[in-house]
């Protein structure tokens, strides 16, 4: 396949898919070497970069077209998607801990943060930033949580291995929190804890505490 045709075909696939595409799947379906697809990806990343409204991002062996973060405020004002600011400082700190310590139980998470984490765990599950990855082999078989592909996309990280220094990340979150404290007020009220009927089957039996 000619270079121009490959680039255009990949561009069309990404546009139509909307979701992330596995590089290995693309190479297999197009009957190409993975190196050829990676070369096309590199060219498209150069095309969709800088001030361009669309960027090509990579995460966990997948590629996807995404909006340029520089225009997130304009996009959010018009389309009103789930905004970054819908995640409070406490929620951001919690997902950072999960990212570095995964797989981790809720009690282990609470031991690190020193506060009840039921609410933020529910918020992160609702935003598909974390997921249940199993149960710990101890008494009670508590749920184990880990991050998702959505987490990688949201924070523009290609793989978990690309996470910055843990302490530095938490410090950055605290700085951002201090600068936007007024904006963060009342954000918890944007979400409600699920009623007993709404709790997913896999969470049945897990204690859900209410925020006073």
């Amino acid at each position: 396949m000619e270079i121009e045709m490959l680039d255009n075909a990949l561009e069309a696939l990404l546009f139509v898919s909307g979701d992330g595409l596995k590089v290995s799947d693309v190479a297999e379906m197009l009957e190409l070497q993975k190196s050829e697809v990676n070369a096309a990806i590199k060219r498209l990343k150069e095309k969709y970069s800088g001030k361009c409204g669309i960027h090509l991002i990579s995460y966990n062996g997948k590629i996807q077209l995404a909006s340029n973060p520089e225009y997130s405020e304009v996009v959010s004002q018009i389309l009103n998607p789930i905004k970054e600011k819908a995640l409070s400082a406490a929620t951001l700190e919690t997902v950072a801990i999960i990212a570095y310590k995964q797989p981790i139980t809720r009690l282990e998470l609470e031991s690190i943060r020193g506060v009840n984490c039921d609410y933020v765990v529910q918020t992160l599950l609702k935003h598909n930033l974390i997921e249940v990855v199993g149960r710990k082999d101890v008494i009670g078989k508590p749920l184990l949580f880990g991050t998702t592909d959505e987490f990688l996309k949201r924070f523009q990280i290609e793989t978990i291995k690309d996470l910055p220094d843990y302490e530095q990340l938490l410090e950055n979150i605290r700085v951002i929190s201090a600068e936007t404290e007024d904006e963060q007020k009342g954000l918890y009220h944007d979400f409600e804890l699920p009623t007993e009927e709404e709790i997913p089957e896999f969470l049945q039996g897990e204690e859900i505490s209410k925020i006073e």
Side-chain angles (χ1 to χ4, degrees):
M1 183 179 294
E2 295 181 359
I3 290 178
E4 184 178 2
M5 182 177 292
L6 172 57
D7 291 359
N8 291 339
L10 184 57
E11 189 176 38
L13 284 170
L14 289 166
F15 177 79
V16 173
S17 172
D19 296 325
L21 295 176
K22 284 188 176 181
V23 176
S24 57
D25 288 347
V26 174
E28 181 181 352
M29 296 303 294
L30 294 179
E31 299 182 346
L32 296 171
Q33 295 296 319
K34 194 173 179 180
S35 59
E36 294 179 277
V37 177
N38 283 330
I41 292 172
K42 183 178 180 180
R43 291 190 293 270
L44 288 180
K45 279 189 174 183
E46 292 176 354
K47 178 180 179 179
Y48 293 110
S49 62
K51 295 294 183 179
C52 183
I54 295 174
H55 280 184
L56 177 59
I57 60 174
S58 302
Y59 60 94
N60 203 22
K62 299 178 182 179
I63 52 175
Q64 182 173 353
L65 292 178
S67 61
N68 186 337
E70 187 174 337
Y71 309 118
S72 60
E73 185 175 345
V74 175
V75 173
S76 66
Q77 288 176 348
I78 297 175
L79 300 182
N80 194 30
I82 296 176
K83 306 181 185 67
E84 295 294 334
K85 69 177 184 179
L87 299 177
S88 69
T91 308
L92 287 170
E93 182 174 350
T94 301
V95 77
I97 294 172
I98 293 174
Y100 281 96
K101 305 294 184 180
Q102 61 183 309
I104 186 173
T105 68
R106 179 175 55 82
L107 291 180
E108 290 170 339
L109 187 58
E110 292 175 351
S111 176
I112 294 173
R113 294 199 63 229
V115 296
N116 183 284
C117 294
D118 284 340
Y119 183 85
V120 289
V121 167
Q122 290 300 313
T123 299
L124 291 170
L125 286 168
K126 182 174 182 178
H127 283 269
N128 193 33
L129 294 177
I130 64 171
E131 63 184 351
V132 175
V133 296
R135 287 184 178 273
K136 191 167 185 177
D137 190 18
V138 296
I139 296 176
K141 300 288 185 180
L143 296 174
L144 287 167
F145 297 99
T147 54
T148 63
D149 284 351
E150 182 63 28
F151 167 82
L152 296 177
K153 288 192 291 183
R154 177 70 71 92
F155 296 100
Q156 297 187 359
I157 301 170
E158 189 161 340
T159 70
I160 290 298
K161 295 180 181 179
D162 294 332
L163 284 170
D165 176 76
Y166 176 61
E167 294 299 332
Q168 183 60 51
L169 177 61
L170 291 186
E171 179 59 28
N172 291 345
I173 289 174
R174 294 188 185 102
V175 170
I176 293 172
S177 174
E179 292 176 347
T180 61
E181 184 176 359
D182 291 338
E183 295 181 10
Q184 299 291 350
K185 289 181 180 179
L187 287 178
Y188 275 125
H189 300 296
D190 290 342
F191 304 94
E192 297 180 357
L193 285 173
T195 63
E196 185 174 350
E197 295 79 17
E198 295 172 332
I199 297 175
E201 183 177 349
F202 65 81
L203 285 177
Q204 294 294 334
E206 294 288 319
E207 294 184 0
I208 305 276
S209 300
K210 293 184 178 180
I211 302 297
E212 298 295 338

